[in-house]
């Protein structure tokens, strides 16, 4: 199974609050889990990524938490700002030479609105 | 430096016509990918290239879709006999190497509208 399930579909957070987006996957062969941020009219841009050998990665206000046994990972945005308002996509990919290799399998996206 | 560029940015066509979408990857990137983004289906993978070779065409939605890459650089996605369900944003991405953990850099996309 190549699906990545993402929730919630939309999220409204007050400025300064914490935004949390969750993703779950089935395929244990996934070995790379990036989060992409997309603004209207633009292509997705990599925000932060993690590999399954670590349980957490932090870059500035953005943190990925990864739970390999539960096959779940999440994005936390601390001190959310209005400029963070965008659509966020989790994704996963597989290396190697088998079917589905290298393609990013995306979640359906979460539209985040940070209100002042 | 320059990012991934795509042209045209917008394309309106009539049902049944053929369209060509172009992608210029970041210079030196060996891997190139095409995705489609639509409201109903989200972001779907279509095809990837390692150099000029596309080992796996199974992501293309139908035989009306084809893609090629020449000189290890520019790629063209061609849709023949377009249908209304082909309306979507077509995104191209490139990465330095073809490994799963290499960042894929996306272009701004081509918005295709089939009337």
């Amino acid at each position: 199974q190549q699906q990545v399930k993402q929730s919630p579909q939309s999220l409204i957070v007050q400025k300064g609050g914490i935004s949390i987006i969750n993703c779950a996957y089935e395929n244990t062969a996934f070995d790379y889990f990036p989060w992409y941020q997309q603004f209207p009219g633009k292509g997705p841009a990599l925000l932060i990524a993690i590999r399954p050998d670590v349980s957490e990665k932090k870059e500035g206000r953005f943190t990925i938490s990864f739970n390999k046994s539960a096959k779940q990972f999440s994005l936390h945005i601390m001190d959310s700002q209005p400029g963070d308002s965008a659509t966020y996509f989790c994704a996963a990919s597989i290396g190697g030479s088998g079917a589905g290799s290298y393609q990013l399998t995306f979640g359906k996206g979460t539209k985040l609105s940070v209100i002042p | 430096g320059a990012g991934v560029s795509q042209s045209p940015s917008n394309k309106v066509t009539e049902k049944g016509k053929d369209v060509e979408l172009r992608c210029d990857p970041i210079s030196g990137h060996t891997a190139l990918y095409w995705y489609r983004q639509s409201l109903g289906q989200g972001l779907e993978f279509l095809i990837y290239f390692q150099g000029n070779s596309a080992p796996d065409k199974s992501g293309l939605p139908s035989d009306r879709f084809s893609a090629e890459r020449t000189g290890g650089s520019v790629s063209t996605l061609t849709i023949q006999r377009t249908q209304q369900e082909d309306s979507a944003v077509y995104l191209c991405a490139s990465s330095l190497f073809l490994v799963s953990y290499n960042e894929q850099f996306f272009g701004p996309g081509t918005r295709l509208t089939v009337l």
Side-chain angles (χ1 to χ4, degrees):
Chain A
Q1 287 82 2
Q2 296 282 3
Q3 274 191 326
V4 177
K5 295 183 181 179
Q6 182 172 347
S7 62
Q9 211 169 3
S10 63
L11 183 61
I12 300 174
V13 173
Q14 290 270 358
K15 178 183 175 181
I18 302 173
S19 304
I20 302 174
I21 305 170
N22 300 298
C23 284
Y25 63 97
E26 288 296 323
N27 191 341
T28 55
F30 285 139
D31 65 356
Y32 176 64
F33 301 87
W35 284 89
Y36 277 81
Q37 179 188 55
Q38 186 177 31
F39 293 102
K42 305 289 186 185
L46 180 69
L47 191 62
I48 186 172
I50 199 168
R51 299 197 69 188
D53 51 344
V54 297
S55 61
E56 186 175 281
K57 184 175 181 180
K58 183 175 180 178
E59 289 182 1
R61 296 185 294 110
F62 302 93
T63 300
I64 299 179
S65 297
F66 185 81
N67 186 329
K68 189 173 181 178
S69 60
K71 292 185 284 187
Q72 295 176 346
F73 58 111
S74 61
L75 175 69
H76 295 232
I77 306 174
M78 312 299 288
D79 186 27
S80 299
Q81 300 295 313
D84 297 331
S85 298
T87 300
Y88 293 81
F89 294 92
C90 62
S93 68
I94 305 170
S97 58
S101 294
Y102 309 116
Q103 61 179 271
L104 286 169
T105 299
F106 285 91
K108 294 290 188 187
T110 296
K111 186 172 182 180
L112 172 66
S113 300
V114 181
I115 52 178
Chain B
V4 177
S5 61
Q6 293 185 245
S7 60
S9 55
N10 281 284
K11 176 72 176 178
V12 180
T13 190
E14 293 179 348
K15 178 182 171 181
K17 300 279 190 179
D18 297 352
V19 295
E20 282 189 356
L21 311 179
R22 177 187 167 107
C23 172
D24 282 89
I26 293 173
S27 177
H29 280 197
T30 62
L32 184 146
Y33 315 79
W34 283 98
Y35 294 85
R36 178 169 72 173
Q37 186 170 27
S38 58
L39 281 174
Q41 298 298 321
L43 273 154
E44 303 171 84
F45 168 80
L46 298 179
I47 192 169
Y48 76 82
F49 288 88
Q50 170 64 4
N52 293 333
S53 173
D56 180 5
K57 296 181 171 64
S58 63
L60 295 174
S62 76
D63 58 9
R64 296 184 295 104
F65 287 71
S66 63
E68 66 175 13
R69 188 179 185 196
T70 54
S73 181
V74 171
S75 177
T76 302
L77 178 69
T78 301
I79 309 173
Q80 295 178 309
R81 305 181 303 282
T82 51
Q83 303 295 311
Q84 288 181 334
E85 61 262 28
D86 299 334
S87 296
V89 176
Y90 289 82
L91 292 161
C92 174
S94 69
S95 64
L96 189 57
F97 300 114
L98 187 69
V99 292
S100 64
Y101 48 86
N102 235 198
E103 179 178 354
Q104 293 186 24
F105 294 83
F106 282 80
T110 293
R111 180 174 297 278
L112 175 65
T113 303
V114 182
L115 301 176

